[in-house]
Each structure stands twice: as structure tokens, then as C-alpha cells.
Amino acid sequence: MRKSSGTAASGREKAYAYLRENILIDPDVQGKFLNEQELAAEIGVSRTPVREALLLLVSDGLVELIPQRGAYVPPVTGREMSELMELRGVLESHAARLVIEQRRVPAKTMQDTLDQQARLPEQLNAEAAQEFIRLDTLFHQLLIDAAGNELISRTYSKLHVRQILVGVSALFRAGDRRGKVCAEHQDILDALVSGDAAKAQEAIDHHLAVTRDILLRT
């Protein structure tokens, strides 16, 4: 029984991870229904773990199950974008204060991540844009994780899918956004390294406000 239960759990977790990391981050999937059978074949599992994974995604607020129609991926609304940026600002500013006070700024790993972003090509196709935003998310997650609060880290990590979605949208809505993101990240990191919590919060707030304004412009 234990083996069977473990196999079921691993299938569900595999499907859940695949959906979060490969399917839901695609802006083209927003506003559409997912085909469970096609997903099962793509992931290499049966339909049962796919359905279980979708139920987990429903609890995450990323998918809606519509009776007799299936799993629907709702578009991210303007209000959700604003609320996402507000929550990120609260969590990241709190983390910034803690890592500065405790002298735990992960300067090297954050700089390495930023350098990887900067090395991506100037003209970003859809795949490169997703990689850019993945690194963007990692940059901020490194700051959150350095604060040493597991609950905050898990909460922030749950925002991953929406962050990639809105980040990719912002990149393509503002053609020069790539270089500015890297510059804004450098400002955040420089403030953290200098130990100036007020300046770090200002840099974080500016970075998130610019992204929010781009997203809400259209």
C-alpha cells in the first residue's frame, strides 16, 4: 500500500510541477481550457494524477474547474496584478530590512543571477523572455529566502506562476524594459550591500511600481 500511495503522490507532484513550470506560465494559455488527456500524455502519467494536480492548482487560485467543461485558466486581472505587486512589496521590503540587520545579504548569488539576466540577448523571443523572468523571480526569491522565515519563503514561492505571467507581459509591452529591469535590480542589490534599508525599500518600491504601471497601461 505504501508503495502504491507513494507512486500516486509522485505522479501528482510530477503533474503539479509540470503544470506550474511549463503550462501555466504561458500567456497564451490564459482564458482557455486545459485538456486533461493531452496533458496526461504530455507529462507521461495517467489522467488521475493530472486531475489531482489540477485540484491543487484550484486551491492555489490558478485554475478553475467548470462543471461539464473542465479546467479553465482564468486571465490575470488588473486588480490581481496590483495586489501581486503590493504583496511583493510588503514581503521584499521586510526581507530587505532583516537581511541588512542580520548581515545576511546574499550578494554573490543575487549578483550572479543578475549577471545571467544581463547576458541574455537584447531581442527576447518567448522562450528567452520566460528565462529572463525566471531569473528575475529567482533574484527576488534569493532575497526572501535569506531572511530565514520559511513561511514567508513558501508564501512568496506560491506567487511564482503569476510573477512569470505578468513579467513576460511587461517585457513585451515595453520594448526597453529588459535593460531597465537589470538596472533596477542592480539598484536594489547595491542598496542592500551598502546596508541602507530605506534606500533598499525605495528601490524595491520603484521597481515594482514601474512594472505595475506598465501592466495596467493597457
Side-chain angles (χ1 to χ4, degrees), residues 64-132:
E64 296 176 3
L65 289 181
I66 310 298
Q68 300 182 343
R69 297 205 61 188
Y72 175 73
V73 182
V76 180
T77 66
R79 178 176 178 176
E80 287 173 331
M81 290 176 186
S82 293
E83 290 177 349
L84 171 63
M85 295 304 161
E86 182 179 359
L87 178 56
R88 285 185 57 187
V90 170
L91 297 178
E92 291 180 32
S93 295
H94 176 70
R97 288 193 299 272
L98 285 180
V99 299
I100 287 173
E101 289 173 3
Q102 299 168 7
R103 298 183 179 180
R104 295 195 308 201
V105 176
K108 185 180 185 307
T109 51
M110 289 181 74
Q111 187 66 61
D112 288 346
T113 302
L114 176 53
D115 290 344
Q116 290 180 57
Q117 273 192 301
R119 285 196 295 268
L120 287 170
E122 286 290 337
Q123 298 300 319
L124 296 174
N125 56 25
E127 184 177 345
Q130 287 188 0
E131 175 63 9
F132 185 89

Side-chain angles (χ1 to χ4, degrees), residues 179-200:
K180 290 181 179 178
V181 166
C182 291
E184 289 163 16
H185 279 183
Q186 192 66 62
D187 288 343
I188 293 170
L189 183 54
D190 289 347
L192 292 170
V193 172
S194 73
D196 190 331
K199 191 173 181 180

Side-chain angles (χ1 to χ4, degrees), residues 16-25 130 134 160-161 164:
Y16 177 76
Y18 187 88
L19 287 165
R20 277 177 55 90
E21 302 296 328
N22 298 280
I23 302 299
L24 297 181
I25 63 171
Q130 287 188 0
R134 185 192 70 79
H160 173 77
V161 171
I164 290 184

